[in-house]
Amino acid sequence: MTNGYTAGVFDLFHGGDLDLLRKARAQCARLTVGVLTDELAQTILGTRPFMPLNERLEILRNVRFVDKVISVTDPDLARLRAEFAFDVIFPGISRNGAPTEAEAARQLAGLDVRIAALPDLKDTRSVMVRSALDRARVA
């Protein structure tokens, strides 16, 4: 059985998030999704999520492509791999808080984890939604 892992902030859940989860789950038997805490999102992305962590976790728990949801306080992939035994990682896209392919390869070197990029994901990104909300607030 292949265990997959992906992570992100998953703030303002949208079609791009769903597409990522659907395509990741299609490549593994079980998918664990890491949701970055507010503090970790602030550290990595420089901004805090709009939605509280408990709501983001609850949304993902109710997505049929997701088998397990975890709160991520530490982005150390080797530690996460030891704890959750994933065989394949689906790296982040467009700075969603997940490690890039290069970061994942560096952190997981020698651990026999396949890094599987997911091409052709839907174009919607949280950054776009945030920008639209910011423009609407100013108008």
Short mmCIF file of all heavy atoms in Angstrom, two decimals, residues 72-131:
data_model
loop_
_atom_site.label_atom_id
_atom_site.label_comp_id
_atom_site.label_asym_id
_atom_site.label_seq_id
_atom_site.Cartn_x
_atom_site.Cartn_y
_atom_site.Cartn_z
N VAL A 72 0.44 20.73 11.27
CA VAL A 72 1.89 20.77 11.12
C VAL A 72 2.45 22.02 11.82
O VAL A 72 2.13 23.14 11.44
CB VAL A 72 2.30 20.77 9.63
CG1 VAL A 72 3.81 20.87 9.48
CG2 VAL A 72 1.77 19.52 8.94
N THR A 73 3.27 21.77 12.83
CA THR A 73 3.91 22.86 13.55
C THR A 73 5.39 22.99 13.20
O THR A 73 6.01 24.00 13.47
CB THR A 73 3.80 22.65 15.08
OG1 THR A 73 4.43 21.40 15.40
CG2 THR A 73 2.36 22.64 15.54
N ASP A 74 5.92 21.93 12.58
CA ASP A 74 7.35 21.87 12.24
C ASP A 74 7.47 21.33 10.81
O ASP A 74 6.99 20.23 10.53
CB ASP A 74 8.06 20.94 13.22
CG ASP A 74 9.54 20.75 12.93
OD1 ASP A 74 10.05 21.29 11.94
OD2 ASP A 74 10.19 20.03 13.71
N PRO A 75 8.09 22.06 9.92
CA PRO A 75 8.15 21.63 8.51
C PRO A 75 9.22 20.58 8.21
O PRO A 75 9.49 20.30 7.04
CB PRO A 75 8.47 22.94 7.79
CG PRO A 75 9.29 23.71 8.76
CD PRO A 75 8.71 23.37 10.12
N ASP A 76 9.79 19.94 9.21
CA ASP A 76 10.84 18.94 9.01
C ASP A 76 10.24 17.67 8.40
O ASP A 76 9.60 16.87 9.09
CB ASP A 76 11.51 18.62 10.35
CG ASP A 76 12.65 17.64 10.24
OD1 ASP A 76 12.71 16.88 9.25
OD2 ASP A 76 13.49 17.62 11.15
N LEU A 77 10.47 17.46 7.11
CA LEU A 77 9.87 16.33 6.41
C LEU A 77 10.40 14.98 6.88
O LEU A 77 9.66 14.00 6.88
CB LEU A 77 10.08 16.47 4.90
CG LEU A 77 9.32 17.60 4.23
CD1 LEU A 77 9.68 17.68 2.76
CD2 LEU A 77 7.83 17.42 4.40
N ALA A 78 11.66 14.91 7.27
CA ALA A 78 12.21 13.65 7.75
C ALA A 78 11.49 13.21 9.03
O ALA A 78 11.15 12.04 9.21
CB ALA A 78 13.72 13.77 8.00
N ARG A 79 11.21 14.16 9.92
CA ARG A 79 10.47 13.84 11.14
C ARG A 79 9.03 13.43 10.81
O ARG A 79 8.52 12.44 11.34
CB ARG A 79 10.44 15.05 12.08
CG ARG A 79 9.76 14.74 13.42
CD ARG A 79 9.49 15.98 14.25
NE ARG A 79 8.61 16.94 13.59
CZ ARG A 79 7.28 16.80 13.49
NH1 ARG A 79 6.66 15.75 13.96
NH2 ARG A 79 6.56 17.73 12.89
N LEU A 80 8.39 14.16 9.90
CA LEU A 80 7.02 13.82 9.50
C LEU A 80 6.97 12.44 8.85
O LEU A 80 6.07 11.65 9.09
CB LEU A 80 6.47 14.88 8.55
CG LEU A 80 6.12 16.22 9.19
CD1 LEU A 80 5.91 17.28 8.12
CD2 LEU A 80 4.89 16.09 10.07
N ARG A 81 7.98 12.14 8.04
CA ARG A 81 8.04 10.83 7.37
C ARG A 81 8.20 9.72 8.40
O ARG A 81 7.56 8.67 8.31
CB ARG A 81 9.20 10.83 6.39
CG ARG A 81 9.12 9.81 5.27
CD ARG A 81 9.48 8.46 5.69
NE ARG A 81 9.45 7.55 4.56
CZ ARG A 81 10.14 6.45 4.55
NH1 ARG A 81 10.89 6.13 5.57
NH2 ARG A 81 10.07 5.64 3.54
N ALA A 82 9.04 9.94 9.40
CA ALA A 82 9.23 8.93 10.45
C ALA A 82 7.93 8.68 11.22
O ALA A 82 7.61 7.55 11.58
CB ALA A 82 10.33 9.37 11.41
N GLU A 83 7.18 9.74 11.43
CA GLU A 83 5.93 9.62 12.21
C GLU A 83 4.78 9.06 11.39
O GLU A 83 3.97 8.28 11.88
CB GLU A 83 5.55 10.98 12.78
CG GLU A 83 4.39 10.93 13.73
CD GLU A 83 4.14 12.25 14.45
OE1 GLU A 83 5.00 13.15 14.40
OE2 GLU A 83 3.08 12.36 15.06
N PHE A 84 4.68 9.44 10.11
CA PHE A 84 3.51 9.08 9.31
C PHE A 84 3.80 8.11 8.17
O PHE A 84 2.90 7.74 7.43
CB PHE A 84 2.82 10.34 8.79
CG PHE A 84 2.32 11.20 9.91
CD1 PHE A 84 2.99 12.35 10.27
CD2 PHE A 84 1.21 10.82 10.64
CE1 PHE A 84 2.56 13.12 11.33
CE2 PHE A 84 0.76 11.58 11.70
CZ PHE A 84 1.44 12.74 12.05
N ALA A 85 5.04 7.68 8.02
CA ALA A 85 5.44 6.62 7.09
C ALA A 85 4.90 6.79 5.67
O ALA A 85 4.33 5.88 5.09
CB ALA A 85 5.03 5.26 7.66
N PHE A 86 5.07 7.97 5.08
CA PHE A 86 4.63 8.14 3.70
C PHE A 86 5.73 7.68 2.74
O PHE A 86 6.90 7.76 3.02
CB PHE A 86 4.17 9.57 3.42
CG PHE A 86 5.15 10.66 3.77
CD1 PHE A 86 6.16 11.01 2.88
CD2 PHE A 86 5.04 11.35 4.96
CE1 PHE A 86 7.05 12.03 3.19
CE2 PHE A 86 5.93 12.37 5.28
CZ PHE A 86 6.93 12.71 4.40
N ASP A 87 5.27 7.16 1.59
CA ASP A 87 6.17 6.65 0.56
C ASP A 87 6.35 7.64 -0.59
O ASP A 87 7.29 7.54 -1.37
CB ASP A 87 5.60 5.36 -0.05
CG ASP A 87 5.24 4.35 1.01
OD1 ASP A 87 6.16 3.90 1.71
OD2 ASP A 87 4.05 4.01 1.14
N VAL A 88 5.38 8.52 -0.74
CA VAL A 88 5.40 9.49 -1.82
C VAL A 88 4.94 10.83 -1.27
O VAL A 88 4.03 10.89 -0.43
CB VAL A 88 4.52 9.03 -3.01
CG1 VAL A 88 3.09 8.81 -2.60
CG2 VAL A 88 4.60 10.01 -4.18
N ILE A 89 5.59 11.88 -1.72
CA ILE A 89 5.20 13.24 -1.31
C ILE A 89 4.82 14.03 -2.55
O ILE A 89 5.46 13.90 -3.60
CB ILE A 89 6.31 13.94 -0.51
CG1 ILE A 89 5.82 15.29 0.01
CG2 ILE A 89 7.58 14.09 -1.32
CD1 ILE A 89 6.75 15.95 1.01
N PHE A 90 3.78 14.81 -2.43
CA PHE A 90 3.31 15.67 -3.50
C PHE A 90 3.66 17.10 -3.09
O PHE A 90 3.00 17.68 -2.23
CB PHE A 90 1.80 15.48 -3.70
CG PHE A 90 1.44 14.05 -3.96
CD1 PHE A 90 0.99 13.24 -2.93
CD2 PHE A 90 1.61 13.50 -5.21
CE1 PHE A 90 0.70 11.90 -3.15
CE2 PHE A 90 1.32 12.16 -5.45
CZ PHE A 90 0.85 11.37 -4.42
N PRO A 91 4.75 17.64 -3.66
CA PRO A 91 5.23 18.94 -3.21
C PRO A 91 4.27 20.07 -3.55
O PRO A 91 3.36 19.91 -4.35
CB PRO A 91 6.56 19.11 -3.94
CG PRO A 91 6.59 18.10 -5.00
CD PRO A 91 5.55 17.07 -4.71
N GLY A 92 4.52 21.18 -2.91
CA GLY A 92 3.66 22.34 -3.05
C GLY A 92 3.78 23.05 -4.37
O GLY A 92 4.72 22.85 -5.13
N ILE A 93 2.81 23.89 -4.60
CA ILE A 93 2.77 24.68 -5.82
C ILE A 93 2.60 26.14 -5.43
O ILE A 93 1.91 26.46 -4.47
CB ILE A 93 1.59 24.25 -6.71
CG1 ILE A 93 0.31 24.12 -5.88
CG2 ILE A 93 1.89 22.94 -7.41
CD1 ILE A 93 -0.92 23.97 -6.67
N SER A 94 3.27 27.00 -6.11
CA SER A 94 3.05 28.44 -5.97
C SER A 94 3.05 28.91 -4.52
O SER A 94 2.19 29.65 -4.09
CB SER A 94 1.73 28.80 -6.66
OG SER A 94 1.51 30.17 -6.64
N ARG A 95 4.01 28.42 -3.74
CA ARG A 95 4.18 28.84 -2.35
C ARG A 95 2.91 28.71 -1.52
O ARG A 95 2.44 29.66 -0.90
CB ARG A 95 4.71 30.27 -2.29
CG ARG A 95 6.10 30.43 -2.86
CD ARG A 95 7.15 29.56 -2.23
NE ARG A 95 7.34 29.87 -0.82
CZ ARG A 95 7.88 29.04 0.04
NH1 ARG A 95 8.30 27.87 -0.32
NH2 ARG A 95 8.02 29.39 1.30
N ASN A 96 2.36 27.52 -1.49
CA ASN A 96 1.16 27.27 -0.68
C ASN A 96 1.51 26.84 0.74
O ASN A 96 0.65 26.46 1.50
CB ASN A 96 0.27 26.21 -1.34
CG ASN A 96 0.88 24.82 -1.33
OD1 ASN A 96 2.07 24.66 -1.05
ND2 ASN A 96 0.08 23.83 -1.65
N GLY A 97 2.79 26.89 1.06
CA GLY A 97 3.22 26.47 2.38
C GLY A 97 3.84 25.10 2.39
O GLY A 97 4.49 24.71 3.35
N ALA A 98 3.64 24.34 1.34
CA ALA A 98 4.25 23.01 1.22
C ALA A 98 5.67 23.17 0.69
O ALA A 98 5.99 24.16 0.05
CB ALA A 98 3.43 22.14 0.28
N PRO A 99 6.52 22.20 0.96
CA PRO A 99 7.88 22.28 0.43
C PRO A 99 7.88 22.17 -1.10
O PRO A 99 7.03 21.48 -1.66
CB PRO A 99 8.58 21.08 1.06
CG PRO A 99 7.49 20.14 1.38
CD PRO A 99 6.29 20.97 1.71
N THR A 100 8.81 22.82 -1.74
CA THR A 100 8.98 22.68 -3.18
C THR A 100 9.61 21.33 -3.46
O THR A 100 10.06 20.63 -2.55
CB THR A 100 9.89 23.78 -3.73
OG1 THR A 100 11.19 23.61 -3.15
CG2 THR A 100 9.35 25.18 -3.43
N GLU A 101 9.68 20.96 -4.73
CA GLU A 101 10.32 19.69 -5.11
C GLU A 101 11.76 19.65 -4.61
O GLU A 101 12.21 18.64 -4.06
CB GLU A 101 10.30 19.51 -6.62
CG GLU A 101 8.95 19.12 -7.17
CD GLU A 101 9.00 18.91 -8.66
OE1 GLU A 101 9.71 17.98 -9.11
OE2 GLU A 101 8.34 19.68 -9.38
N ALA A 102 12.49 20.74 -4.81
CA ALA A 102 13.91 20.78 -4.40
C ALA A 102 14.04 20.66 -2.88
O ALA A 102 14.91 19.94 -2.39
CB ALA A 102 14.56 22.07 -4.90
N GLU A 103 13.19 21.35 -2.13
CA GLU A 103 13.25 21.27 -0.67
C GLU A 103 12.92 19.86 -0.20
O GLU A 103 13.57 19.33 0.70
CB GLU A 103 12.26 22.27 -0.04
CG GLU A 103 12.67 23.72 -0.21
CD GLU A 103 11.54 24.68 0.14
OE1 GLU A 103 10.35 24.25 0.20
OE2 GLU A 103 11.82 25.86 0.32
N ALA A 104 11.91 19.25 -0.80
CA ALA A 104 11.53 17.89 -0.42
C ALA A 104 12.66 16.92 -0.72
O ALA A 104 12.99 16.06 0.11
CB ALA A 104 10.25 17.47 -1.15
N ALA A 105 13.29 17.05 -1.89
CA ALA A 105 14.40 16.16 -2.26
C ALA A 105 15.55 16.30 -1.27
O ALA A 105 16.15 15.30 -0.85
CB ALA A 105 14.86 16.47 -3.68
N ARG A 106 15.85 17.52 -0.88
CA ARG A 106 16.95 17.76 0.06
C ARG A 106 16.64 17.17 1.43
O ARG A 106 17.44 16.45 2.02
CB ARG A 106 17.21 19.27 0.18
CG ARG A 106 18.37 19.62 1.12
CD ARG A 106 18.56 21.13 1.26
NE ARG A 106 17.38 21.84 1.68
CZ ARG A 106 16.88 21.85 2.92
NH1 ARG A 106 17.46 21.16 3.87
NH2 ARG A 106 15.79 22.54 3.21
N GLN A 107 15.44 17.42 1.94
CA GLN A 107 15.08 16.95 3.28
C GLN A 107 14.89 15.44 3.36
O GLN A 107 15.08 14.85 4.42
CB GLN A 107 13.79 17.63 3.76
CG GLN A 107 13.96 19.10 4.09
CD GLN A 107 12.70 19.64 4.73
OE1 GLN A 107 12.08 19.00 5.57
NE2 GLN A 107 12.31 20.85 4.34
N LEU A 108 14.51 14.82 2.25
CA LEU A 108 14.19 13.39 2.27
C LEU A 108 15.26 12.53 1.60
O LEU A 108 15.04 11.33 1.40
CB LEU A 108 12.83 13.16 1.60
CG LEU A 108 11.64 13.82 2.31
CD1 LEU A 108 10.39 13.78 1.45
CD2 LEU A 108 11.39 13.16 3.66
N ALA A 109 16.39 13.12 1.30
CA ALA A 109 17.48 12.37 0.65
C ALA A 109 17.82 11.12 1.46
O ALA A 109 17.98 11.17 2.67
CB ALA A 109 18.71 13.26 0.51
N GLY A 110 17.88 9.99 0.77
CA GLY A 110 18.25 8.73 1.40
C GLY A 110 17.13 8.04 2.15
O GLY A 110 17.35 7.00 2.77
N LEU A 111 15.92 8.56 2.13
CA LEU A 111 14.81 7.97 2.88
C LEU A 111 13.84 7.17 2.02
O LEU A 111 12.78 6.77 2.49
CB LEU A 111 14.05 9.05 3.65
CG LEU A 111 14.83 9.73 4.76
CD1 LEU A 111 13.97 10.81 5.44
CD2 LEU A 111 15.31 8.72 5.79
N ASP A 112 14.15 6.96 0.76
CA ASP A 112 13.33 6.15 -0.13
C ASP A 112 11.89 6.68 -0.22
O ASP A 112 10.93 5.93 -0.04
CB ASP A 112 13.35 4.68 0.30
CG ASP A 112 12.82 3.76 -0.79
OD1 ASP A 112 12.98 4.11 -1.98
OD2 ASP A 112 12.24 2.72 -0.45
N VAL A 113 11.78 7.98 -0.46
CA VAL A 113 10.48 8.60 -0.66
C VAL A 113 10.46 9.16 -2.08
O VAL A 113 11.36 9.88 -2.49
CB VAL A 113 10.24 9.75 0.35
CG1 VAL A 113 8.94 10.48 0.05
CG2 VAL A 113 10.24 9.22 1.77
N ARG A 114 9.42 8.79 -2.82
CA ARG A 114 9.27 9.30 -4.18
C ARG A 114 8.66 10.70 -4.12
O ARG A 114 7.73 10.95 -3.36
CB ARG A 114 8.36 8.37 -4.99
CG ARG A 114 8.18 8.78 -6.43
CD ARG A 114 7.47 7.70 -7.23
NE ARG A 114 6.16 7.37 -6.73
CZ ARG A 114 5.02 7.91 -7.17
NH1 ARG A 114 5.03 8.83 -8.11
NH2 ARG A 114 3.87 7.51 -6.65
N ILE A 115 9.20 11.60 -4.93
CA ILE A 115 8.68 12.95 -5.02
C ILE A 115 7.90 13.04 -6.32
O ILE A 115 8.46 12.85 -7.40
CB ILE A 115 9.80 14.00 -4.96
CG1 ILE A 115 10.53 13.86 -3.63
CG2 ILE A 115 9.24 15.40 -5.16
CD1 ILE A 115 11.80 14.63 -3.53
N ALA A 116 6.60 13.27 -6.22
CA ALA A 116 5.72 13.24 -7.38
C ALA A 116 5.08 14.60 -7.61
O ALA A 116 4.15 14.98 -6.90
CB ALA A 116 4.64 12.17 -7.19
N ALA A 117 5.59 15.32 -8.58
CA ALA A 117 4.99 16.60 -8.95
C ALA A 117 3.65 16.34 -9.61
O ALA A 117 3.46 15.32 -10.29
CB ALA A 117 5.91 17.36 -9.90
N LEU A 118 2.73 17.23 -9.42
CA LEU A 118 1.40 17.10 -10.01
C LEU A 118 1.22 18.20 -11.05
O LEU A 118 0.90 19.34 -10.71
CB LEU A 118 0.32 17.20 -8.93
CG LEU A 118 0.35 16.09 -7.89
CD1 LEU A 118 -0.62 16.40 -6.76
CD2 LEU A 118 0.02 14.76 -8.53
N PRO A 119 1.43 17.87 -12.31
CA PRO A 119 1.30 18.88 -13.36
C PRO A 119 -0.16 19.18 -13.67
O PRO A 119 -1.07 18.42 -13.30
CB PRO A 119 1.99 18.23 -14.56
CG PRO A 119 1.80 16.77 -14.34
CD PRO A 119 1.81 16.56 -12.83
N ASP A 120 -0.38 20.27 -14.34
CA ASP A 120 -1.70 20.63 -14.86
C ASP A 120 -2.77 20.76 -13.79
O ASP A 120 -3.91 20.35 -13.99
CB ASP A 120 -2.16 19.63 -15.93
CG ASP A 120 -1.17 19.53 -17.08
OD1 ASP A 120 -0.63 20.58 -17.48
OD2 ASP A 120 -0.93 18.41 -17.55
N LEU A 121 -2.40 21.33 -12.65
CA LEU A 121 -3.41 21.58 -11.62
C LEU A 121 -4.22 22.82 -12.01
O LEU A 121 -3.74 23.70 -12.73
CB LEU A 121 -2.75 21.80 -10.27
CG LEU A 121 -2.09 20.58 -9.64
CD1 LEU A 121 -1.32 20.96 -8.40
CD2 LEU A 121 -3.11 19.49 -9.33
N LYS A 122 -5.43 22.90 -11.51
CA LYS A 122 -6.27 24.08 -11.77
C LYS A 122 -5.51 25.34 -11.38
O LYS A 122 -4.72 25.35 -10.45
CB LYS A 122 -7.58 23.98 -11.00
CG LYS A 122 -8.49 22.90 -11.52
CD LYS A 122 -9.86 23.02 -10.89
CE LYS A 122 -10.75 21.86 -11.22
NZ LYS A 122 -11.17 21.73 -12.56
N ASP A 123 -5.79 26.42 -12.07
CA ASP A 123 -5.04 27.66 -11.89
C ASP A 123 -5.38 28.44 -10.63
O ASP A 123 -4.62 29.31 -10.24
CB ASP A 123 -5.24 28.57 -13.10
CG ASP A 123 -4.53 28.05 -14.34
OD1 ASP A 123 -3.54 27.31 -14.19
OD2 ASP A 123 -4.96 28.40 -15.45
N THR A 124 -6.51 28.18 -10.00
CA THR A 124 -6.89 28.96 -8.83
C THR A 124 -5.90 28.72 -7.69
O THR A 124 -5.56 27.59 -7.38
CB THR A 124 -8.31 28.59 -8.36
OG1 THR A 124 -9.20 28.76 -9.44
CG2 THR A 124 -8.74 29.45 -7.19
N ARG A 125 -5.44 29.80 -7.09
CA ARG A 125 -4.50 29.73 -5.97
C ARG A 125 -5.01 30.68 -4.87
O ARG A 125 -5.65 31.70 -5.14
CB ARG A 125 -3.10 30.19 -6.38
CG ARG A 125 -2.49 29.42 -7.54
CD ARG A 125 -1.98 28.06 -7.07
NE ARG A 125 -1.37 27.33 -8.16
CZ ARG A 125 -2.02 26.43 -8.90
NH1 ARG A 125 -3.27 26.15 -8.68
NH2 ARG A 125 -1.39 25.80 -9.87
N SER A 126 -4.69 30.36 -3.63
CA SER A 126 -5.11 31.19 -2.51
C SER A 126 -4.60 32.62 -2.65
O SER A 126 -5.29 33.57 -2.27
CB SER A 126 -4.64 30.59 -1.18
OG SER A 126 -5.30 29.38 -0.94
N VAL A 127 -3.41 32.78 -3.21
CA VAL A 127 -2.85 34.12 -3.41
C VAL A 127 -3.79 34.95 -4.28
O VAL A 127 -4.01 36.14 -4.01
CB VAL A 127 -1.44 33.99 -4.05
CG1 VAL A 127 -1.02 35.22 -4.79
CG2 VAL A 127 -0.42 33.64 -2.99
N MET A 128 -4.36 34.33 -5.29
CA MET A 128 -5.29 35.05 -6.17
C MET A 128 -6.56 35.44 -5.41
O MET A 128 -7.06 36.56 -5.56
CB MET A 128 -5.65 34.17 -7.37
CG MET A 128 -4.47 33.83 -8.26
SD MET A 128 -4.77 32.43 -9.37
CE MET A 128 -6.29 32.88 -10.16
N VAL A 129 -7.08 34.53 -4.62
CA VAL A 129 -8.30 34.80 -3.87
C VAL A 129 -8.04 35.91 -2.85
O VAL A 129 -8.84 36.84 -2.70
CB VAL A 129 -8.82 33.51 -3.17
CG1 VAL A 129 -10.03 33.80 -2.31
CG2 VAL A 129 -9.13 32.44 -4.22
N ARG A 130 -6.90 35.83 -2.16
CA ARG A 130 -6.53 36.88 -1.19
C ARG A 130 -6.45 38.25 -1.86
O ARG A 130 -6.93 39.24 -1.32
CB ARG A 130 -5.18 36.57 -0.56
CG ARG A 130 -5.23 35.76 0.67
CD ARG A 130 -3.79 35.61 1.20
NE ARG A 130 -3.78 34.89 2.43
CZ ARG A 130 -3.91 35.46 3.63
NH1 ARG A 130 -4.02 36.75 3.76
NH2 ARG A 130 -3.91 34.72 4.71
N SER A 131 -5.81 38.30 -3.02
CA SER A 131 -5.67 39.57 -3.74
C SER A 131 -7.03 40.14 -4.11
O SER A 131 -7.27 41.34 -3.97
CB SER A 131 -4.83 39.38 -5.00
OG SER A 131 -3.51 39.06 -4.67
#
